[in-house]
Amino acid sequence: MSDNPLIEYAFPELRQWEQGEAPYVHVRDSGKPGPTVMVAALTHGNEVSGAIVVDALLARGLKPRNGTLIFSFNNIEAYQRFDPKNPFKSRMIDEDFNRTWGRLDQPPTTLEARRAQAVRPFVERADVLLDLHSMHDDCVPLMLCGPLERGVELAKRLGTPADIVRDRGHAAGMRMRDYGGFGDPKSHKTALLIETGQHWRASSVAVAKDVTHRFLAETGVVDAADLPADWRQPAPGKQKVVQVTHAVATKRGNFTAARRFEGQEVIAKAGTLLGHDDGEPVTTPYDDCVLVMPAVNRPLRAGVTIVRLGRLV
Ligand SMILES: [Zn+2]
């Protein structure tokens, strides 16, 4: 028996989308004024809920009424190497595509850095970006809106998911969603990164559809009526925002958890032991500390984020 999670939906055949403005990047220009809006999937090759959404919108022939729409399948090579017997491996090939964005002016040494350089002109054109991800572990959907207030505001205008995470990204390298104007306090550009749920849950596809529907309608490039009506889900009653204060990375990849932890779990007492990294205790720094995407229940490579810690604001 395999320990791998069940894959609850069929993966799309994406080869028909190879020919675009760049491979697996498609631009639809209305010829009218309006924002340039980008929806990206497969930034991580095994996060397939977003690929289903982008595939469906391309197949529908969705065109903007105003401005420009850009669709991309980022780490398509990793996706095409997906092996159901080793499903977590196709997150990437040489390195994490979503940690390369701080060094794209250097000669690329990996497949992902080369691909990010090919995708970069489209990311630079975009005024608004939605990057569709999913998670290794079962967790409620999370909207990662970056460090700036305008990211939180856009996440609130979408009205879902319930959990918004305000964060600065990873020490291991810049994410696409923080690149250029998206990370510039003086720019008008805004990017959101949705973690739709566990990679291969059917519910993650439902979340990706709902969030993309809301996102595209909110930007005004299309009318809500242009989108599949059955993609919309009821909104949660209330959204809450967690401000990430710490990102804890494992020094050498030998973190051992004190117990099993769940995503968005709130740890009441400051000083609660989360586990040991290289024998050193890792504890919560304040009361009511939220564990954002804890990866404490499985082995990790050196330098990888174990957990982000945050406060409800
Ligand atoms: Zn991801």
Side-chain angles (χ1 to χ4, degrees):
M1 279 294 287
S2 155
D3 291 334
N4 292 324
L6 262 184
I7 298 174
E8 297 180 347
Y9 57 83
F11 285 16
E13 172 52 71
L14 299 177
R15 282 179 210 281
Q16 61 185 313
W17 308 122
E18 182 171 0
Q19 302 290 324
E21 276 68 11
Y24 294 96
V25 180
H26 292 263
V27 179
R28 304 273 184 266
D29 188 342
S30 69
K32 294 191 195 131
T36 297
V37 175
M38 181 165 179
V39 179
L42 298 179
T43 289
H44 296 126
N46 61 355
E47 302 182 358
V48 184
S49 64
I52 290 184
V53 164
V54 172
D55 175 58
L57 293 176
L58 285 168
R60 189 181 177 87
L62 182 71
K63 290 190 176 63
R65 291 175 183 262
N66 313 287
T68 301
L69 261 174
I70 301 176
F71 295 111
S72 73
F73 300 101
N74 285 341
N75 203 337
I76 186 73
E77 298 237 15
Y79 175 68
Q80 287 169 341
R81 294 186 203 185
F82 186 85
D83 174 2
K85 290 198 275 308
N86 200 357
F88 290 107
K89 190 163 190 293
S90 60
R91 174 179 173 84
M92 62 183 93
I93 291 176
D94 298 328
E95 67 166 325
D96 189 333
F97 176 92
N98 216 24
R99 304 288 181 270
T100 63
W101 290 79
R103 50 184 161 82
L104 292 186
D105 47 356
Q106 296 167 22
T109 56
T110 63
L111 184 145
E112 279 82 5
R114 272 194 300 283
R115 178 62 177 161
Q117 287 187 345
V119 174
R120 170 170 58 175
F122 303 96
V123 175
E124 285 175 340
R125 274 176 76 177
D127 298 299
V128 203
L129 166 71
L130 176 64
D131 192 17
L132 295 159
H133 289 247
S134 54
M135 294 178 272
H136 185 293
D137 301 299
D138 267 314
C139 181
V140 293
L142 304 176
M143 185 66 91
L144 276 56
C145 64
L148 301 173
E149 187 59 31
R150 62 180 191 265
V152 178
E153 286 165 5
L154 179 56
K156 287 184 174 171
R157 287 201 299 279
L158 299 195
T160 204
D163 291 81
I164 299 169
V165 175
R166 188 169 173 164
D167 74 327
R168 293 188 180 281
H170 301 270
M174 186 187 285
R175 301 173 297 189
M176 184 176 70
R177 64 128 291 116
D178 300 310
Y179 180 73
F182 297 126
D184 180 353
K186 292 194 282 295
S187 168
H188 69 281
K189 297 188 173 200
T190 306
L192 293 175
L193 188 165
I194 178 74
E195 301 279 4
T196 58
Q198 204 283 334
H199 299 319
W200 309 302
R201 291 258 183 228
S203 58
S204 297
V205 177
V207 170
K209 287 177 171 174
D210 181 31
V211 167
T212 305
H213 188 296
R214 289 164 182 270
F215 171 80
L216 289 174
E218 168 62 32
T219 64
V221 286
V222 298
D223 289 346
D226 300 334
L227 300 162
D230 63 355
W231 283 15
R232 277 289 293 254
Q233 305 282 331
K238 196 172 182 306
Q239 290 174 293
K240 54 183 190 284
V241 181
V242 173
Q243 170 74 56
V244 171
T245 57
H246 300 67
V248 183
T250 173
K251 290 190 199 79
R252 293 194 296 176
N254 53 3
F255 179 82
T256 50
R259 64 167 171 84
R260 199 176 169 84
F261 293 99
E262 302 300 326
Q264 297 304 98
E265 189 172 335
V266 181
I267 307 294
K269 282 272 162 258
T272 300
L273 183 70
L274 298 177
H276 289 87
D277 190 45
D278 247 10
E280 295 286 314
V282 176
T283 58
T284 52
Y286 42 78
D287 287 352
D288 298 322
C289 180
V290 183
L291 306 185
V292 178
M293 288 200 280
V296 299
N297 308 314
R298 55 188 160 93
L300 294 172
R301 285 173 293 109
V304 169
T305 305
I306 305 164
V307 63
R308 279 167 276 185
L309 307 175
R311 276 195 177 95
L312 282 163
V313 291

